[in-house]
Structures are given as C-alpha cells and as structure tokens.
Amino acid sequence: MKPSRGSSKITERGLVVLADYPDRIDMSVLERFPEYVEFRTRSSGRRRASPSQAREQVAVPADTPEETIDAAYRQIRTALAEELLARLVERDDRFFEDVVLDVLVGLGYGGTKLDTAERLGRSGDGGIDGVIREDTLGLDAIFIQTKKWARERTIGPREIREFVGALQDVEATKGIFITTSSFSPEARELARRRRIVLIGGLEFATRMMDAGVGVTTLQVYELKRIDEDYFAPME
C-alpha cells in the first residue's frame, strides 16, 4: 500500500539503518549507500565523493628523483654537522684553535697554514687566539677569537666587547669570533656594529665540511641530464 500524498513510509532497509544508528543518521551514514550517492549525483549534476573517497582522491605530488636526492643530501649534511660539533666539544681548546685555522686556510684565507696562520692562544694573548696573515708581508691580517663552550651556553655582549678591546690593542681591522656554542641577539647586534664576523657551532661545522677539514669523501655521485644541444636538429 502506497503512503498518502505528502506522507513517507520507512522501508525495511531504513528500519535496519535506524536500528544500527539509533542516535543520529547524518551525511556520513547516508554516503555509505551507493544509491544515495547516485541520487545526489543526479540531483547536483556532479559526482560528490564521500569524505573517505575525497581523501583518497587528493593527489599528493611525488618528489622527483632529483628532489629526493637533494633532501637526502641535506639530511646527511645536517647529521654530519651535528657529529662534527659533538667531536669538537669533546676535545681541548688547543685542538679547537688548530681546527679553526685549518678551516679558514682551507676556505681560502691566507696561503698555507705553515706560512700565514699562527695560533696565539696562550696566557697573556689579550683575548686573541689566532691570526691569519693575508699577504706575505703581514700588512693585512685577520685576528681570531675562539670559545670552545658547551652547546647550551650562549656568548653575550661582554665577550664581544672583550674581543673588540683586544682588536683595538693590536690596531686590527678584521676580526672573526668562532664558537662551538651560539651568540645572543645582543652579541650579534654589537658584533654587527663593530664589523666582527660571528660563526656559531653548527655553521662552523658546515664550514669544516666545505673546507674538507675533519671529514673524508665517502662516495661521489654524478647527476646527469640530456644535452639538448647534442640532439638539436641540424640546420
């Protein structure tokens, strides 16, 4: 028997659904039934996927092989920098001062370590731990201050002012402050005004890698691409 006009009658399937979901029947329940989805499709003129289907249909762009290699390379560099920094903290001050000179020479400052770099870290050095003479006559020099501190410590303005005073004593115009820890914002601002270069722990560890100090090459990969000029049509 059909229901009268303006009335509805629940079907047997509807009774089952109502028994399964007595508290609430919402869109998430209705979209479980293909016939309801088809009904909505016909009425809206477009297919409306369920939330779970919509999530499955979201296209997640895959990384290219080049992007995957680049991400892995950066991850390896970060891990190696962390390990290098941990090794530096374990060693004594003299070792760290020697490493600093090796890195700066390796990055192209001065000539060879034997000819242009000198470690000055000793009693009465006036706050200067090393110097690199950029020319053979020693007319232009970079003076270096190092602090092998625990990573959780922070170098503040006081240490920068002491270094500034030491540079003034030797009438220096170039100074680099290198540490295994980090610098406070106030220290960085003071160094910027005094034109002193600051290099913190992780940055210095990456400089070690760039200079080839304390590391060896494990593997070399060449990434190649098509030479379009080679395959260009002949005119």
Side-chain angles (χ1 to χ4, degrees):
M1 180 178 177
K2 293 184 179 180
S4 60
R5 187 177 182 85
S7 300
S8 299
K9 181 180 179 180
I10 191 169
T11 63
E12 291 184 3
R13 189 173 188 187
L15 291 171
V16 173
V17 174
L18 186 60
D20 292 338
Y21 304 91
D23 298 328
R24 181 182 180 185
I25 298 178
D26 56 15
M27 295 295 293
S28 64
V29 175
L30 293 175
E31 287 176 338
R32 296 172 183 267
F33 302 100
E35 58 266 44
Y36 176 77
V37 175
E38 184 179 357
F39 166 75
R40 290 294 300 271
T41 301
R42 289 199 307 268
S43 62
S44 63
R46 60 183 177 85
R47 181 176 180 82
R48 184 177 186 275
S50 66
S52 59
Q53 291 173 326
R55 285 193 296 270
E56 293 173 357
Q57 293 173 1
V58 174
V60 178
D63 290 340
T64 65
E66 291 83 358
E67 290 171 337
T68 301
I69 292 172
D70 183 65
Y73 174 73
R74 285 186 278 109
Q75 184 178 1
I76 291 171
R77 272 181 66 91
T78 299
L80 181 55
E82 292 280 358
E83 186 176 354
L84 280 171
L85 188 54
R87 294 292 188 95
L88 289 175
V89 173
E90 291 174 353
R91 300 298 297 269
D92 57 28
D93 294 344
R94 177 170 182 151
F95 179 83
F96 181 53
E97 292 166 1
D98 282 333
V99 172
V100 167
L101 293 178
D102 287 338
V103 170
L104 293 178
V105 170
L107 292 176
Y109 293 95
T112 65
K113 184 178 179 181
L114 181 63
D115 296 332
T116 62
E118 181 181 1
R119 189 177 64 82
L120 303 175
R122 56 183 178 269
S123 177
D125 60 17
I128 295 175
D129 296 312
V131 59
I132 291 180
R133 298 173 180 85
E134 295 186 277
D135 61 87
T136 56
L137 297 178
L139 298 176
D140 200 5
I142 301 173
F143 291 87
I144 307 157
Q145 171 69 33
T146 65
K147 291 287 185 186
K148 191 190 71 65
W149 282 9
R151 294 186 60 179
E152 61 271 14
R153 295 183 64 182
T154 302
I155 290 177
R158 182 173 65 87
E159 288 77 21
I160 303 300
R161 283 192 289 269
E162 291 175 354
F163 185 41
V164 170
L167 293 175
Q168 290 174 344
D169 288 343
V170 295
E171 298 182 350
T173 59
K174 297 180 181 180
I176 303 178
F177 199 127
I178 300 176
T179 181
T180 52
S181 61
S182 59
F183 300 93
S184 70
E186 296 80 10
R188 289 191 174 279
E189 175 59 23
L190 177 58
R192 184 190 64 80
R193 296 200 308 268
R194 300 298 181 135
R195 303 186 68 179
I196 294 174
V197 175
L198 303 182
I199 302 178
L202 281 178
E203 181 185 352
F204 180 70
T206 61
R207 302 280 186 178
M208 287 182 65
M209 289 186 282
D210 296 337
V213 175
V215 296
T216 58
T217 301
L218 180 63
Q219 185 62 271
V220 176
Y221 298 93
E222 289 188 3
L223 194 61
K224 298 183 182 293
R225 63 177 177 84
I226 292 292
D227 184 350
E228 298 294 346
D229 293 336
Y230 183 85
F231 289 96
M234 298 292 292
E235 295 183 359

